[in-house]
Amino acid sequence: MTWKDDCASDCGHEDIKYVTLREEPGRGYRLEYGAPKCDAAPAGAYIVESVPDNIDTYSSCGSSGTDAGHFGFTFYPNPAATGPGLGPFQAKGDLHQVGGGHGGHFWYAHTRDTSHLGGDSGLMTVKGTWTLDKNIEWARVLVHLPDTGAHTRQAAYVIGGADTTSKVRIVEQRADRWVSLGAFRFTGTPTVTLTNATADGTADEDVAWDAVAFQGLPGKPNHMVVGMGDSYSSGEGASDPGGDDYYPESDYYNKVSGDKTKDSCHRSKYAWSRRAVLPGEQLSVGELADSWSARMDFQFTACSGARHYNMLSITPGAGELPQIQQGYLDQHTTLVALSIGGNDMAFADIIKKCITSISDVCQNGTIKARNPDTGQSYDNDTPALKDWLPAWAHNVIRPRLVKTLRALHDQAPNAKIVLMGYPRLLEKKGSCVIGIGTEEAPWLNEMGDVVAAEMKGAVSDTGSYAVFADPRAAFAGQAICGDPETIHGIVVTGHSRADSKPTSMKSFHPKIAGTAHYAAAFQDALAP
């Protein structure tokens, strides 16, 4: 092979033809969404594309036109190379461009950690920076994510020129839409930088550089809200059969159990934090956020299955970073909507014990003991659940909640934190749930009251920045077996965390109607 002499003008402009009656190859891992996106960002936003001005891009999007800034890459040469600092840039061999994404063009490369020649300035590190060539004070920053070539759940966008220090926001890139990084006050030149360096970068997932938009705002949004926590916060179960209610980046499956490309956080568009109407507003949090209202900045990191340590320091099985490390809490945050503790309480194991107990009621039975520090299971068993659960809730879960609330407050010192409780699960002594006995259902509800008391106590142990929201009254008469039933009983179809699990993850979680009850309890907790 030989190098092209006119590569500056000719390379990357192939004219590919296919034989007669041969279908053109599909674009993207979801072929029905493979076309480029030619739509604009929020009205009036300044867009910075991934290519220079007036470049003809793929398909119907035409020319890139004139945008509001510029984009460029940084590569790192091999220090062993000879010459005047212009050695070979190995990372260029893993940088690709595709005729998809916003405006018909984006770049992508494989994720890299330090052991795969990545990191801050590794030989295979690619760093792309969008720069806005305009002065702006307050702005919402959005990134466009294509339907393919964007796989990582650990894309770290660095927003430069904001306040006095750079801000880092972590994004799960399988979103296929415009995604907000948040609202920022710029005191310097607005920039956004993204590299292919990730903590889980083993060179088998993609990171994409598409367009960035800066939506000018008249000032700081009235509400800067972050929804965090476990499945009751994410909206697990709040999805109609066959509906598209979970955000795609939080509902990606692979048939191989344990495959790192799976993400089952299940953040629903019907989550209670999105359905709530905040004081002084007419529209819900979700309605304001979806319309890019200047009054609202909403970020959503809740993940089904999360325990307190998945929020603080340990990456959950879905591969997303711990929620507190995703960067969405800062001095501008006004409100944190949170539910956490149910998984720390071994909720799923206790329910399973009650359903499968045959010879005796489950409260006299045991489950695998937990490590108080990590929550991991031991080989030995707990004492009888009727004795173990109240003690575990008081001695372990309550301090964990206090630790979590204080950590959130450290990151968002000006925010009110609302810790949401859990409803009593069963009506009519659980008569509609196979396996739940008439003695077990009242005990489960009683233990729900015990947990609520400890959650309320944890809030009182922290300070005035936190409040407890109690949803039990809102669900009265409408839990499992109620009329209407607003919490799922046992669901055997739909999503499961692993193919070997016989039941859906929706089981024992609020339906869409149930998240409305949660939203009402949340609003009550915020009332003056």
Side-chain angles (χ1 to χ4, degrees), residues 138 163 167 183-185 220 224 330-334 414:
W138 275 94
D163 292 321
K167 306 285 188 178
F184 304 90
R185 178 177 178 267
K220 177 182 175 180
M224 299 186 71
D330 62 20
Q331 75 274 23
H332 297 304
T333 307
T334 61
N414 301 313

Side-chain angles (χ1 to χ4, degrees), residues 410-433:
D410 288 343
Q411 296 293 317
N414 301 313
K416 174 173 285 190
I417 303 173
V418 179
L419 177 63
M420 179 66 73
Y422 302 94
R424 297 185 185 97
L425 288 175
L426 298 161
E427 308 288 351
K428 302 176 183 177
K429 295 187 177 182
S431 58
C432 68
V433 181

Side-chain angles (χ1 to χ4, degrees), residues 111-120 122 124-125 197-203:
T111 56
R112 305 273 181 172
D113 60 17
T114 53
S115 64
H116 291 80
L117 303 179
D120 291 337
M124 295 301 293
T125 296
T198 66
D200 67 347
T202 54

Side-chain angles (χ1 to χ4, degrees), residues 148-209:
T148 188
H151 301 155
T152 181
R153 290 138 296 171
Q154 299 185 6
Y157 290 87
V158 180
I159 297 88
D163 292 321
T164 57
T165 58
S166 297
K167 306 285 188 178
V168 179
R169 298 292 166 89
I170 306 298
V171 171
E172 296 77 45
Q173 280 203 325
R174 291 183 184 267
D176 190 26
R177 66 181 189 279
W178 283 103
V179 171
S180 170
L181 302 181
F184 304 90
R185 178 177 178 267
F186 288 98
T187 57
T189 300
T191 63
V192 177
T193 299
L194 172 67
T195 80
N196 62 332
T198 66
D200 67 347
T202 54
D204 56 359
E205 289 192 322
D206 296 339
V207 60
W209 293 266

Side-chain angles (χ1 to χ4, degrees), residues 6 15 23 46 80 86 143 173 197 275 278 301 332 340 348 352 398-399 431 444 459 470 474 478 481 494 505:
D6 60 346
D15 186 10
E23 184 177 354
Y46 300 117
L86 299 176
V143 294
Q173 280 203 325
R275 302 192 72 180
L278 300 186
T301 66
H332 297 304
I340 197 71
K352 180 179 178 181
R398 181 167 173 167
S431 58
L444 284 170
V459 166
D470 191 345
Q478 297 187 19
C481 307
M505 293 169 64

Side-chain angles (χ1 to χ4, degrees), residues 1 19 23 46 89 114 134 179 215 360 408 412 415 426 449 527:
M1 62 183 182
V19 297
E23 184 177 354
Y46 300 117
F89 295 88
T114 53
K134 297 178 180 294
V179 171
Q215 179 197 10
D360 197 358
L408 297 179
L426 298 161
D449 293 340

Side-chain angles (χ1 to χ4, degrees), residues 123-162:
L123 295 182
M124 295 301 293
T125 296
V126 180
K127 180 182 293 184
T129 299
W130 299 263
T131 301
L132 181 66
D133 295 337
K134 297 178 180 294
N135 293 325
I136 196 168
E137 185 175 3
W138 275 94
R140 188 192 322 275
V141 179
L142 303 103
V143 294
H144 191 273
L145 299 173
D147 73 316
T148 188
H151 301 155
T152 181
R153 290 138 296 171
Q154 299 185 6
Y157 290 87
V158 180
I159 297 88

